[in-house]
Amino acid sequence: MAKVLVFIDNPGASLKKSSLELLTLARSLGGSTVALNGDLSDGVAATLAEYGVGNILRPSAQDLDDFLVAPKAAYVAAAAEASGAGIVLLDNSPEGKEIAARVGIRLNAGVITDVVAVDGDGTAHKSVLAGSYSTACKATTPVSVLTLKANNVIPEPAPAPTTPETATVDVPAVAAAARITAREQKVASGRPDLTDARIVVAGGRGMDGDFGPVEELADALGAAVGASRAATDAGWISHDAQVGQTGKTVSPQLYISAGISGAIQQKAGMQTSQVIVAVNKDAESPVFEIADFGIIGDVFDVLPQAAAEIKKRKG
Amino acid sequence: MKIVVLVKHVPDAQFDRHLNGAGNTVDRDESILSELDEYALEAALQLAEARGGSKAGNQVIALSMGPSGAVNAVKKALQMGATEGVHVTDDALAGSDAAATSLALAAAVRHLGGVDLVLTGMASTDGETSLVPAQLAERLGLPQVTFASTLEVDGGRLTARRDADTSSETVEAPLPAVVSVTDQINEPRYPNFKGIIAAKRKSITTLSLADIGVDPAQVGFAGSWTSVASAEQRPPRTAGTIITDEGDAGIKLVDFLAAQKLL
């Protein structure tokens, strides 16, 4: 069994579902150590114990958040060396992938992103070319660095909790890094994050400037809101919501596409979703070629009716 | 300023793309300049133009690594306005993963010498890993600014904005630096007739691994730190049930979700 290091960045008061997925996968591969950045709250410490973490490492430096990724990568690489990890696991966020990239160079280790499953021998599975191929790949180096896509592991606490030991890791100096001089928090929507949501409702050109019905259906389902590039470029919704090749790639259990034609750029971002539902007035829309359930109809009739019906059934 | 823009020759995402050969590498027939690299090139051209363009000594060097066809990405960049092109090509490079690619590109940037800024797209549209910009910065020991949606350079410093899910950040770094830009930063120009004619007179330098001082064993399949053991084409998704709304499609949708246990 390999020693596995999991990087968790600024968890706050409780661990995100994607972190629990990392911890569950790590335990299936071997003994796990967590390299934490940020405060270790009581809630997080209790969850780490529940998930069978053997050791918790913390950085000697407190200012990692003041710089872009380079010092975090130096810390994670040092933590991997200190713990003797054969596998380093990170989340698949843009920052997770960048840290992984630099950790790979620091450790002379192969990096594999967008991983959906890992075998006992370290072979990682991922899909490439917009979901058209499933591949099995492996680092050829003693250490491998993997970033795990959300929603592919079911979080499960360990059979018996552990009592993790805590230690400090010296963060090596980094020659040059970009400094973060200002940070504006965005207003929290209260909805799940698009990249790790179990359900996504996405709207496109057909929403004609009004995302109300998309948001209403998303809230009835507890879903995240997504959008096509046409909708974000038109300014109907924040660019953060963009799903597609130049936006976010999502693979939820359910993807509802509303008023989106399904051009290849958009399809590239969502076709690994387990179930696809499409609502569009135009029967010729390419999205109907890949939808499990398609409705030729007006989004302003179908979405509110579905939202009302869900609320009724949920009582 | 001396700006290097990384341009990649990738299969056109509008068509079906394939993996083939023993190493499951991407089939590069029908390839084009990666759409996301056009934003990096536009950003470089705007920085150079704001400083008096090539007449004032500003260089925008389009750099591509890849087989013979990859020179087409460099040519397109020259047509858009890059001042010169560099094509790193060598049979030993075939099969390079991100780590090996960043090694060769770092050597090429060092070989060019005196570079103030390396600009790249946010990801390639084929591998889509986004690993190369960060790995290049780590190898060159330079500050890295990734996913920039704005970019300004004043004297020896750059300022950029990045949007993350929960916050927007303003970042500053001294030059030289490696910067990747998103598709929000600008609207790339189309090559015009004048640009296409002018491109024919611009030089493209071809460099081999020996020219940039890279041992062939460090790149390609041999030098990569990851390998693809198998690749299976997924069956294309097929259409399921399609209905036309007769006033109750919203209810039928909920029935479908309930049957799939998705409520």
Side-chain angles (χ1 to χ4, degrees):
Chain A
M1 297 285 268
K3 283 187 178 167
V4 185
L5 180 77
V6 176
F7 176 58
I8 296 178
D9 198 5
N10 284 308
S14 63
L15 289 175
K16 290 205 298 191
K17 180 165 167 276
S18 54
S19 300
L20 300 179
E21 293 174 15
L22 289 175
L23 295 174
T24 306
L25 176 65
R27 216 175 54 233
S28 77
L29 295 169
S32 61
T33 297
V34 163
L36 181 80
N37 175 44
D39 292 335
L40 176 60
S41 64
D42 292 346
V44 168
T47 311
L48 293 177
E50 221 182 296
Y51 274 74
V53 171
N55 295 288
I56 300 170
L57 303 178
R58 305 188 66 188
S60 61
Q62 302 299 313
D63 61 351
L64 301 187
D65 296 325
D66 297 346
F67 300 91
L68 279 193
V69 308
K72 286 183 189 171
Y75 162 54
V76 175
E81 282 170 343
S83 64
I87 298 176
V88 181
L89 282 180
L90 302 97
D91 70 37
N92 202 52
S93 64
E95 185 162 324
K97 288 196 259 190
E98 283 171 41
I99 296 169
R102 298 186 75 127
V103 168
I105 300 299
R106 293 186 89 95
L107 297 177
N108 291 343
V111 182
I112 302 170
T113 57
D114 296 318
V115 171
V116 297
V118 184
D119 299 340
D121 70 349
T123 299
H125 298 266
K126 67 181 282 188
S127 73
V128 298
L129 296 180
S132 53
Y133 285 82
S134 302
T135 64
C137 33
K138 205 172 175 198
T140 55
T141 47
V143 179
S144 49
V145 181
L146 311 175
T147 66
L148 180 71
K149 265 182 116 163
N151 291 323
N152 288 291
V153 173
I154 296 165
E156 221 174 280
T162 45
T163 315
E165 307 253 335
T166 303
T168 302
V169 171
D170 279 329
V171 180
V174 171
R179 178 180 279 277
I180 298 168
T181 54
R183 194 181 266 130
E184 287 164 42
Q185 291 300 323
K186 292 183 181 169
V187 181
S189 67
R191 297 192 180 99
D193 284 347
L194 188 53
T195 39
D196 38 65
R198 199 176 68 87
I199 303 177
V200 173
V201 183
R205 206 185 292 276
M207 299 317 299
D208 209 14
D210 178 8
F211 260 64
V214 167
E215 290 171 352
E216 195 191 340
L217 180 58
D219 291 342
L221 286 164
V225 169
S228 69
R229 183 157 178 194
T232 58
D233 279 358
W236 300 342
I237 187 158
S238 152
H239 177 68
D240 301 340
Q242 191 194 320
V243 174
Q245 191 153 45
T246 61
K248 295 194 171 84
T249 303
V250 298
S251 49
Q253 284 170 343
L254 169 64
Y255 184 88
I256 300 181
S257 155
I260 302 179
S261 68
I264 194 143
Q265 293 272 5
Q266 227 282 321
K267 273 201 248 177
M270 50 65 100
Q271 61 183 353
T272 57
S273 304
Q274 281 167 33
V275 174
I276 297 174
V277 168
V279 184
N280 203 305
K281 262 199 287 208
D282 178 6
E284 305 297 316
S285 298
V287 71
F288 287 125
E289 294 163 15
I290 60 164
D292 299 288
F293 189 71
I295 297 170
I296 301 163
D298 189 333
V299 287
F300 294 100
D301 296 331
V302 178
L303 268 48
Q305 188 181 47
E309 181 70 14
I310 292 163
K311 283 180 210 153
K312 198 170 89 187
R313 292 195 195 183
K314 284 187 173 170
Chain B
M1 264 184 108
K2 187 167 179 173
I3 307 171
V4 170
V5 184
L6 302 187
V7 294
K8 190 173 183 188
H9 190 235
V10 299
D12 191 338
Q14 303 292 332
F15 304 111
D16 281 344
R17 296 173 292 173
H18 296 282
L19 300 177
N20 53 31
N24 292 302
T25 52
V26 177
D27 184 337
R28 298 192 176 275
D29 288 348
E30 308 287 325
S31 287
I32 56 166
L33 168 61
S34 179
E35 187 203 335
L36 295 172
D37 296 344
E38 294 186 12
Y39 298 91
L41 184 62
E42 179 63 40
L45 295 173
Q46 289 183 11
L47 286 172
E49 284 162 3
R51 284 159 183 74
S54 58
K55 287 192 186 78
N58 293 287
Q59 291 170 277
V60 176
I61 303 169
L63 167 64
S64 192
M65 178 193 120
S68 58
V71 78
N72 291 329
V74 178
K75 284 181 181 163
K76 170 94 186 275
L78 294 177
Q79 292 174 352
M80 286 175 69
T83 53
E84 57 205 271
V86 175
H87 179 204
V88 177
T89 189
D90 201 301
D91 289 346
L93 286 165
S96 293
D97 69 352
T101 301
S102 65
L103 179 98
L105 290 171
V109 170
R110 280 195 209 99
H111 174 83
L112 291 171
V115 172
D116 297 299
L117 194 57
V118 179
L119 280 171
T120 79
M122 59 189 268
S124 65
T125 57
D126 54 353
E128 288 187 278
T129 65
S130 319
L131 294 174
V132 168
Q135 295 200 323
L136 189 58
E138 181 76 44
R139 289 192 186 277
L140 291 169
L142 296 181
Q144 153 206 346
V145 177
T146 36
F147 300 100
S149 57
T150 67
L151 175 63
E152 285 164 39
V153 174
D154 186 8
R157 296 192 71 75
L158 70 85
T159 308
R161 196 180 160 92
R162 316 187 345 135
D163 284 305
D165 277 344
T166 55
S167 64
S168 288
E169 293 160 353
T170 305
V171 298
E172 280 184 22
L175 299 184
V178 176
V179 179
S180 78
V181 304
T182 72
D183 60 340
Q184 297 297 300
I185 194 167
N186 54 42
E187 275 299 323
R189 65 194 69 185
Y190 288 102
N192 58 21
F193 182 70
K194 211 176 127 195
I196 293 168
I197 297 296
K200 292 185 195 292
R201 294 194 302 270
K202 293 176 186 169
S203 69
I204 297 177
T205 308
T206 305
L207 298 174
S208 66
L209 288 175
D211 293 330
I212 57 173
V214 170
D215 177 353
Q218 290 181 287
V219 295
F221 290 114
S224 288
W225 293 341
T226 56
S227 72
V228 181
S230 66
E232 269 176 59
Q233 194 157 12
R234 288 173 46 144
R237 287 190 89 106
T238 48
T241 312
I242 311 267
I243 62 166
T244 300
D245 185 17
E246 286 165 348
D248 60 351
I251 313 241
K252 285 183 174 155
L253 168 55
V254 180
D255 288 340
F256 170 80
L257 298 181
Q260 299 278 328
K261 300 193 168 30
L262 286 165
L263 279 191

